[in-house]
Amino acid sequence: MKRTASLLVAAAAAVVTVGFTPHSSSGTHDAPSGRSAPARSAALTTGSGHWLDTWVSMPQLTEPGNMPPAPFTESDRVFDNATLRQTVHVAVGGKRVRLRLSNAFGGAELPVTAVSVARPAGGKAGVGAIVPGSSRRVTFGGQPGFDIPQGAQAVSDPLDFDVAPGTNLTVTLYLAHGQASTSITSHPGSRTTSYMLAGDHLDDADLSGATTADHWYFLSGLEVWSKPAASATVVLGDSLSDGRGSTTNGNDRWPNLLQARLASRSGTADVAVVNEAAGGNRVLRDGLGPNALARLDRDVLARSGVNRLIVFEGVNDIGTAGTSPADAERISAELIGAYQQIITRAHAQGIRVYGATLTPFGGNGYDDPAGAHESARQKVNRWIRTAGRFDAVVDFDRAVRDPDAPGTLRAAYDTGDHLHLNPAGYQALADAVPAALFHR
């Protein structure tokens, strides 16, 4: 039976401020004066509103090729006495923010000395400079520094900092001693440039001479204190949602473009579309990052203010399966069973689930000569369209397939690998999502 309730996830929204072990500080990174951060946090819980995820990234174990460039990766630690500056793209705005930092895959505790937020120079994504005087310190339990245990995350104190919808925000971290492991947490597919510089440059207006990399490290979420009617929609996906083929620092993945559409309409302007996708991810088995079933609790059910989920994942499961007719039957049946598990678990938290059909890959390496993988894709898409288990269906396959060769992408949307989409293709996906699905 389809769910009709549009319930906010109260359990995910009511996140308690962390109490991890504070660092001793040299005094350079003092907490701001005035009412204490815990007092401000307590005051927020009595007011009208709730915390809402407005930007997220899926935490992953960093592969060797995606580690911080030299000299920021050493034989036994990373980011020793280093400043790391990153920018994120805000969906729904707010006047108070808080950060989430992740040590989900760290091989040791993550000792963060100090953190700040600021406005990026020119309002741009992927820049190393900030607007002079805009930097504000972030605290954790009233302290400027903290140690995040292995496998854990940290949620900062609320900070009065006005961010407008659809804008960019700079987050800068300083690690005095680095993380004593080469197993670290990141999101390699950031499509956004980050900056690294030796020493403490937390509030510097520009990181002149910095080393760059197009990855996010440790940063996993930005929340805003929002009005009760505001909500978040999570995208659970792979590289087609993570944005392979999109523009670096352009924020033109299809979830970004859908967010822009919704923001332009009065009835959906308070909906944040947040992206929990990663290149190479699979639904059933670990690949690049944990499988979707394993990460559902962390990446969807525990996010703040979520009441909708778009599931657009399964191509990597099909493409890496065997190519016999029996293999095709097995992988399609397993994917259908997994989708039903996701629906059941999300519905238990009052979250509506929208299923997106899988897009074509004819001509890609996933396309086997016998057509077994295409047969599995067609069977899965038929179930998504007709079974009635999803609360709604988003037909991405129809939006980007070649009408004369429906097993392949339209040439105008194809990056050339016959699997991933260019910005025009991602715009077509965004346009295929009915705005009515997000009305209150």
Side-chain angles (χ1 to χ4, degrees):
M1 181 180 295
K2 290 189 177 183
R3 313 249 330 166
T4 57
S6 179
L7 304 176
L8 295 175
V9 188
V15 181
V16 179
T17 302
V18 299
F20 292 128
T21 306
H23 276 308
S24 60
S25 175
S26 64
T28 303
H29 302 297
D30 294 329
S33 59
R35 186 167 53 162
S36 70
R40 290 196 303 273
S41 182
L44 283 177
T45 62
T46 63
S48 177
H50 67 138
W51 286 108
L52 177 72
D53 273 300
T54 191
W55 172 87
V56 300
S57 70
M58 175 191 150
Q60 296 175 247
L61 175 65
T62 309
E63 299 170 277
N66 294 322
M67 290 293 288
F72 301 98
T73 295
E74 303 175 45
S75 61
D76 61 347
R77 69 183 56 236
V78 296
F79 290 120
D80 186 18
N81 185 31
T83 298
L84 170 63
R85 180 164 288 175
Q86 309 173 90
T87 57
V88 302
H89 192 66
V90 174
V92 170
K95 295 185 181 301
R96 296 184 183 92
V97 301
R98 67 183 186 185
L99 299 174
R100 288 178 182 259
L101 302 178
S102 177
N103 192 24
F105 299 98
E109 67 181 15
L110 173 60
V112 178
T113 307
V115 183
S116 68
V117 297
R119 305 191 190 285
K124 297 178 181 179
V127 296
I130 59 174
V131 174
S134 69
S135 181
R136 296 285 308 282
R137 298 294 174 83
V138 175
T139 61
F140 297 79
Q143 300 297 315
F146 54 92
D147 296 340
I148 309 177
Q150 285 182 263
Q153 68 172 314
V155 183
S156 77
D157 300 327
L159 175 69
D160 293 333
F161 195 99
D162 193 358
V163 292
T167 59
N168 297 303
L169 183 72
T170 297
V171 180
T172 306
L173 286 70
Y174 172 60
L175 282 68
H177 305 293
Q179 184 168 18
S181 174
T182 53
S183 293
I184 66 170
T185 304
S186 71
H187 187 85
S190 66
R191 276 88 197 176
T192 307
T193 306
S194 298
Y195 293 75
M196 293 150 256
L197 190 62
D200 181 359
H201 303 277
L202 195 73
D203 299 316
D204 287 12
D206 195 2
L207 298 189
S208 180
T211 300
T212 62
D214 292 338
H215 312 304
W216 286 309
Y217 297 101
F218 311 129
L219 191 59
S220 67
L222 172 71
E223 299 175 322
V224 292
W225 182 255
S226 190
K227 63 182 76 171
S231 65
T233 296
V234 176
V235 173
L236 191 68
D238 50 35
S239 58
L240 287 162
S241 298
D242 202 28
R244 182 171 176 180
S246 64
T247 308
T248 298
N249 299 318
N251 287 307
D252 52 11
R253 313 164 190 84
W254 76 260
N256 298 124
L257 299 171
L258 173 60
Q259 175 67 53
R261 272 188 62 215
L262 298 180
S264 69
R265 299 165 180 256
S266 60
T268 57
D270 291 330
V271 177
V273 180
V274 295
N275 194 345
E276 291 283 15
N281 198 241
R282 293 187 288 185
V283 175
L284 296 162
R285 294 168 182 85
D286 292 354
L288 295 182
N291 66 79
L293 288 176
R295 66 187 181 90
L296 185 70
D297 291 274
R298 181 196 68 196
D299 292 347
V300 180
L301 305 185
R303 303 310 315 195
S304 297
V306 173
N307 69 354
R308 295 175 180 87
L309 167 64
I310 300 174
V311 180
F312 178 38
E313 189 164 7
V315 163
N316 291 324
D317 297 81
I318 293 173
T320 56
T323 57
S324 72
D327 291 327
E329 286 295 319
R330 184 180 305 110
I331 193 62
S332 55
E334 288 179 349
L335 273 175
I336 289 168
Y339 294 149
Q340 293 183 89
Q341 286 289 314
I342 291 170
I343 293 165
T344 297
R345 290 164 63 186
H347 279 176
Q349 300 298 322
I351 299 174
R352 295 182 180 184
V353 189
Y354 304 149
T357 53
L358 304 180
T359 49
F361 46 73
N364 181 266
Y366 281 175
D367 184 23
D368 64 292
H373 290 167
E374 175 63 8
S375 172
R377 186 182 76 90
Q378 292 291 351
K379 183 172 182 178
V380 168
N381 281 351
R382 188 161 52 248
W383 182 87
I384 291 172
R385 291 184 177 110
T386 64
R389 291 301 307 276
F390 285 107
D391 296 297
V393 174
V394 179
D395 206 338
F396 282 167
D397 171 43
R398 186 182 301 275
V400 299
R401 71 191 183 198
D402 185 336
D404 297 322
T408 64
L409 295 172
R410 288 178 184 260
Y413 298 156
D414 191 345
T415 60
D417 69 0
H418 311 302
L419 172 64
H420 296 100
L421 301 169
N422 57 28
Y426 288 132
Q427 185 68 65
L429 294 187
D431 291 343
V433 184
L437 296 179
F438 305 91
H439 290 164
R440 300 200 246 315

